[in-house]
Amino acid sequence: MSERPRALFAMTPQNVPLVFPPVLLARLHRCVEIDSTLVAHDFTEPRVLEALAGTEILITGWGCPRLDPDVLDAAPRLRAVLHAAGSVKGLTGPGVWQRGIAVSSAADANAVPVAEYTLAMILLAGKDVFALRDRLRDRRAFPYDGILPGVGNHGRRVGVVGASRIGRRLIGLLRPHDLAVTLADPYVDAAEAARLGVALLSLDELLRTSDVVSLHAPQTAETRRLIGARELALMPAGAVLINTARGALVDHEALVAELRTGRLSAVLDVTDPEPLPADSPLYDLPNAFVTPHLAGSQGNEVARLGRVVVEEAERLAAGHGLLHAVDHASLERTA
């Protein structure tokens, strides 16, 4: 690469100033040659095609079109894709890897707010905050007298499904709390689980023995409807299912049926479909707490993603390798 490699933004244009606020943008300009006024969200535009011809680093994010063979042919000098977001599965086709283009992702940075959201929901669910808040609002008086049995986080059993980057970060965040944490992941052995400080269980055993089950597995053919009627029936009465991974991991019809019995509750930041249809029972069930896919980076958090990309661009400009390179072989196992 040249001393100041040529770069191009490729994402939703209005996201650029959010992901790269002035301080980060200034750092980026010092290490790469980039036109901040040109943001590719359609690779067929003549001006974008002209810029692609000399682009060595493509800085991508939410809203970037897929890098198909035509795009790659138009960018013969492309050597690196720096993704200011999470997964690159929907972005990178086989041609990216076949051409030896280095790919970096800010997925580790995007995992931070998801793990934080999940920790908050685990602790709030342990105090039965959602149901008690509704009862307080309805009665306009304390909905209990004395000490509430079955409420609290002392020794509560939390089962983490999937040792993804988010799952691992959550395990770390759970460590200071007085909780019993277990893990189910077919790709993790007992030695690795011990290093993480958790007990490794089968999925069925985890479901049977957890007060809170938090999903952090990737969406693959094998994990589609991972949690269905059979799995929900294994969970003990009063248990909470939290999903911040992908909506398709859960059979929503089975979940609605189980929630209607009042036996379980659920916290869902992701659904299938997304958003839910206007008539979905999940909006109105008192034991379902649904949020609009906000656990990932939002607001001031997206600048964390931009910082990762700027640091990677600085490394490339200095002739160093990527710190957050994506391993194609393990891509299907990440979330």
Side-chain angles (χ1 to χ4, degrees):
M1 290 187 182
S2 61
E3 186 176 346
R4 287 181 68 224
R6 293 178 63 180
L8 174 67
F9 285 122
M11 61 182 71
T12 303
Q14 55 264 38
N15 287 349
V16 173
L18 301 175
V19 179
F20 300 95
V23 172
L24 287 179
L25 194 59
R27 282 177 60 182
L28 190 62
H29 277 292
R30 286 196 292 269
C31 66
V32 300
E33 182 183 337
I34 190 166
D35 180 355
S36 301
T37 68
L38 178 61
V39 182
H41 58 102
D42 179 355
F43 286 126
T44 65
E45 293 180 2
R47 188 180 174 205
V48 171
L49 285 171
E50 182 181 355
L52 273 175
T55 295
E56 298 169 80
I57 299 175
L58 197 61
I59 298 177
T60 62
W62 294 302
C64 178
R66 187 171 176 82
L67 304 181
D68 59 28
D70 290 341
V71 175
L72 297 176
D73 287 343
R77 298 179 61 190
L78 185 62
R79 296 293 178 267
V81 174
L82 308 183
H83 193 50
S87 175
V88 298
K89 288 181 185 179
L91 177 69
T92 54
V96 172
W97 310 103
Q98 292 166 2
R99 299 181 190 216
I101 297 171
V103 178
S104 173
S105 168
D108 284 339
N110 195 45
V112 174
V114 183
E116 291 172 344
Y117 171 103
T118 308
L119 171 65
M121 292 301 171
I122 289 170
L123 297 177
L124 290 173
K127 298 288 281 188
D128 201 18
V129 163
F130 310 115
L132 290 173
R133 183 258 190 183
D134 287 344
R135 291 177 204 164
L136 177 61
R137 184 170 54 185
D138 290 342
R139 301 180 188 180
R140 307 301 164 108
F142 271 20
Y144 60 91
D145 182 20
I147 295 175
L148 280 169
V151 171
N153 288 303
H154 178 68
R156 189 166 291 275
R157 303 168 300 176
V158 178
V160 177
V161 180
S164 62
R165 54 176 55 88
I166 297 170
R168 289 168 186 264
R169 184 171 287 273
L170 174 64
I171 288 169
L173 292 180
L174 291 170
R175 198 166 290 127
H177 301 277
D178 196 359
L179 301 164
V181 184
T182 58
L183 171 69
D185 189 315
Y187 297 102
V188 172
D189 59 23
E192 187 176 0
R195 287 192 293 272
L196 291 171
V198 295
L200 186 64
L201 302 178
S202 68
L203 177 60
D204 282 5
E205 187 62 19
L206 180 145
L207 293 170
R208 290 191 190 98
T209 59
S210 296
D211 301 306
V212 180
V213 174
S214 189
L215 302 182
H216 301 285
Q219 180 177 325
T220 66
E222 291 75 19
T223 61
R224 181 173 175 79
R225 304 296 185 260
L226 180 70
I227 305 298
R230 188 189 76 84
E231 290 75 22
L232 292 167
L234 294 175
M235 296 174 65
V240 181
L241 177 69
I242 300 176
N243 189 9
T244 58
R246 294 290 185 269
L249 270 60
V250 178
D251 181 335
H252 281 62
E253 289 187 10
L255 178 61
V256 167
E258 191 68 68
L259 292 176
R260 278 176 168 154
T261 71
R263 206 178 67 83
L264 304 177
S265 58
V267 176
L268 307 174
D269 188 54
V270 290
T271 56
D272 184 28
E274 196 171 62
L276 289 167
D279 60 352
S280 171
L282 290 170
Y283 286 123
D284 300 310
L285 284 167
N287 48 348
F289 186 80
V290 183
T291 55
H293 201 148
L294 56 77
S297 298
Q298 294 286 343
N300 59 29
E301 296 165 334
V302 298
R304 183 189 283 125
L305 310 181
R307 187 184 68 212
V308 170
V309 166
V310 169
E311 290 170 352
E312 294 285 58
E314 289 171 340
R315 289 183 61 82
L316 288 176
H320 303 306
L322 298 172
L323 283 179
H324 301 278
V326 176
D327 176 15
H328 183 216
S330 62
L331 186 58
E332 290 301 314
R333 290 170 46 190
T334 60

